[in-house]
Amino acid sequence: MTGLIAFARTASLGSYTAAARSLGVSPSAVSKSVQRLEDHLKVRLFTRTTRSLALTPEGRDLQERTTRLLQEVEQIEQAAATARAEPAGLMRVTAPLPIGTHILAPALPRFRERYPKVTIDLRMGDRYTDLIEEGIDVALRVGALGDSRLVSRPLTPHRLCAFAAPGYLARRGTPRNIEDLLGHECVNFRYQSSGQALRWPFQVGERIVEMTPESGIIIDATDGVLAALVAGGGIGIAPTYAAAHYVERRLLVPILPELAVERFVVTAMWPESRRGSPNVKAFIEFLLEIFPSPAPWDLIVSQAQSEAAVQR
């Protein structure tokens, strides 16, 4: 490798003296390294005169190959140095409001305990964000975005289930099938991005059946829907990770949980240019910890379903 470096520097600068100056060695050391390389390869790399050096055809070919090789070596060294670097500085993260509220934000103190030199700027909302244009390091999204500039990693299924308060069900009865929902008060979710009301999905055998029930209350935030359900407003659909907290406290119970749908996937995304960032690598590893499989929120809902089945 020493001979290749001496040769490449001499070829680019045109003299042993200039190459020696840039490498911090003597001209004779450079000359001997190049000579040993020529002897090893059994080719002449330079045409020498008293005043200059000129590459031979074999020398020009080797210069091109050596340049590419040394660039790759430099990239490997930079990647290794980056990997050894300690996470530090500002990291911008974006996530949908319910994921940020119920999963990510409560976990951030643990991340900061592990990496106290990192400052997290968490931005929550459903607005589409151009990660590269807005300088976002990591984004959590429901579903995958088809942007070739982004690297993605699936984290957990986005599971939707119907819920209602025990008090409401005591008054109105518990639905036994999809058709029973038509006779109930419903609270629905409306997408802020499109203004469209959520079509309720149910997994019936191998197919997904969708319906949009008449709703007396429509809210454009998941936590608002859940608050209305806890207050006895009726039956509504929500992600299990957002509802599990209320289910665990027995403020909500799952409705038709056997028909719950795993719709889309919660995915972590980051720009290709951030692939080697120590901050991003540490944060992705942390996300894999807080989005385990099976997810704890799904276990809470499943346990509530089992308890309800025993009571029946």
Side-chain angles (χ1 to χ4, degrees), residues 228-251:
L229 297 181
V230 170
I235 297 173
I237 290 272
T240 52
Y241 56 75
H245 171 70
Y246 298 103
V247 173
E248 193 170 31
R249 295 163 58 197
R250 302 183 185 278
L251 297 174

Side-chain angles (χ1 to χ4, degrees):
M1 182 62 75
T2 301
L4 289 174
I5 294 173
F7 162 73
R9 198 62 59 89
T10 302
S12 63
L13 297 178
S15 75
Y16 292 138
T17 301
R21 190 181 302 117
S22 70
L23 293 172
V25 298
S26 67
S28 63
V30 173
S31 176
K32 290 177 182 178
S33 292
V34 173
Q35 182 65 56
R36 284 194 294 268
L37 180 63
E38 288 180 320
D39 293 343
H40 176 72
L41 298 176
K42 295 180 174 56
V43 296
R44 299 286 290 178
L45 300 175
F46 292 105
T47 300
R48 297 165 175 84
T49 69
T50 56
R51 295 188 176 183
S52 66
L53 295 174
L55 285 166
T56 64
E58 294 81 6
R60 282 194 295 271
D61 180 65
L62 182 61
Q63 183 190 26
E64 293 177 2
R65 296 172 183 269
T66 302
T67 299
R68 290 196 297 268
L69 174 63
L70 294 178
Q71 287 175 345
E72 291 180 3
V73 170
E74 183 179 2
Q75 290 173 0
I76 292 172
E77 291 176 344
Q78 289 177 349
T82 298
R84 294 192 301 268
E86 181 183 2
L90 177 65
M91 184 166 63
R92 297 180 179 88
V93 180
T94 182
L97 185 60
I99 293 177
T101 300
H102 295 279
I103 304 176
L104 189 52
L108 289 181
R110 274 193 289 145
F111 182 81
R112 286 265 302 139
E113 287 177 7
R114 195 175 303 176
Y115 303 106
K117 294 182 180 180
V118 177
T119 299
I120 302 292
D121 179 356
L122 176 58
R123 307 172 185 192
M124 298 190 292
D126 295 326
R127 181 180 67 85
Y128 173 79
T129 300
D130 186 316
L131 273 60
I132 295 175
E133 182 178 331
E134 299 196 19
I136 301 297
D137 295 291
V138 178
L140 272 65
R141 291 286 182 263
V142 177
L145 299 181
D147 190 331
S148 60
R149 301 172 300 171
L150 303 179
V151 183
S152 64
R153 177 70 181 263
L155 297 175
T156 190
H158 180 72
R159 189 172 179 85
L160 294 173
C161 185
F163 298 92
Y168 171 83
L169 297 176
R171 297 193 309 271
R172 299 291 301 272
T174 300
R176 303 299 178 186
N177 51 55
I178 297 176
E179 289 72 22
D180 286 352
L181 293 172
L182 300 176
H184 280 267
E185 293 292 324
C186 294
V187 179
N188 204 4
F189 170 81
R190 184 187 302 281
Y191 293 98
Q192 294 181 3
S193 57
S194 66
Q196 298 295 313
L198 173 68
R199 291 179 60 82
W200 292 12
F202 297 94
Q203 187 76 49
V204 181
E206 297 297 320
R207 62 195 183 97
I208 293 180
V209 175
E210 291 187 341
M211 61 175 290
T212 305
E214 291 190 13
S215 303
I217 302 173
I218 302 174
I219 303 175
D220 66 354
T222 296
D223 284 307
V225 170
L226 290 168
L229 297 181
V230 170
I235 297 173
I237 290 272
T240 52
Y241 56 75
H245 171 70
Y246 298 103
V247 173
E248 193 170 31
R249 295 163 58 197
R250 302 183 185 278
L251 297 174
L252 291 177
V253 296
I255 304 298
L256 304 175
E258 67 278 5
L259 304 183
V261 172
E262 290 187 359
R263 196 169 203 183
F264 309 119
V265 173
V266 178
T267 303
M269 302 177 180
W270 60 98
E272 173 69 34
S273 61
R274 303 286 203 280
R275 183 189 289 272
S277 164
N279 288 1
V280 170
K281 292 173 69 175
F283 197 70
I284 296 302
E285 291 176 2
F286 183 70
L287 289 177
L288 294 175
E289 293 179 18
I290 65 174
F291 287 91
S293 180
W297 42 88
D298 285 333
L299 294 178
I300 290 172
V301 173
S302 297
Q303 183 178 354
Q305 175 188 2
S306 300
E307 291 176 356
V310 171
Q311 291 174 1
R312 289 198 294 269

